[in-house]
Amino acid sequence: YPDIRLKGRKLELIGRIVLFLSIVLGVLSVIINLKYQTDIWWSAIVVGGLAYVLIIMFFMIENQHAGYRSKVIIGMACGIAYLVLIDRVLGFRRWSLNYGVPAALLIFDIMIIVVMFVNIRNWQSYLLFQIFMILCSGVCVILCYLGIIQNPAMSYAAFGISWVLFLASFIIGGKRASNELKRRFHVM
């Protein structure tokens, strides 16, 4: 049998090196940003990007216990948070909320469609992801009504496409789709 501990040790060493370099680069960027005063705290973007890389690396690559669904959701949530951070540092013109978040949700919807076709034998297991996308895009619609999102077109598109994708899967899927929802939500 191959020695898998050696591979684990190499990944662990690479992870520690990346962590060390991220801390050094983060501290260095904060020091440079403080020394050369600017109106923009660009070091927050650098530190946020390094934190995003570390989260992706440690949670998504090295964490063998987390399932792919939680990895995808955490990756998407951290990516959206990073977009909002960049927008906030650059003056919060709300491009991240108006365009970035709905675009990320639309990309995620497209990914669900692709994965459903790739895993055609088990396509119904992605119905829960579709419901999650309806909820996420529904939050964007609520933010439109609250006036936080000022350009609602992409938010409405993300909400509509999420619903269309779910309804198409449910209607076309027939018995397999309804059985999956019954199984997931313990409904008789």
Side-chain angles (χ1 to χ4, degrees), residues 8-105:
R9 287 185 193 144
K10 285 181 182 177
L11 278 176
E12 190 176 313
L13 177 63
I14 291 170
R16 286 186 293 201
I17 290 170
V18 170
L19 177 63
F20 170 74
L21 290 175
S22 297
I23 291 171
V24 169
L25 289 174
V27 169
L28 187 63
S29 68
V30 169
I31 290 170
I32 291 171
N33 200 185
L34 286 172
K35 181 155 178 68
Y36 301 104
Q37 293 283 331
T38 61
D39 294 337
I40 298 174
W41 278 91
W42 56 266
S43 61
I45 296 173
V46 173
V47 171
L50 292 171
Y52 182 64
V53 166
L54 289 173
I55 288 170
I56 295 297
M57 192 178 87
F58 285 113
F59 184 75
M60 299 186 80
I61 297 171
E62 289 189 12
N63 189 356
Q64 301 297 327
H65 302 293
Y68 71 93
R69 290 182 176 118
S70 62
K71 289 180 180 182
V72 168
I73 291 171
I74 294 295
M76 183 182 80
C78 290
I80 288 172
Y82 185 56
L83 279 177
V84 174
L85 171 72
I86 292 171
D87 188 16
R88 185 80 177 140
V89 168
L90 297 177
F92 201 53
R93 293 185 180 94
R94 297 190 179 166
W95 58 263
S96 63
L97 297 176
N98 290 328
Y99 306 108
V101 174
L105 296 176

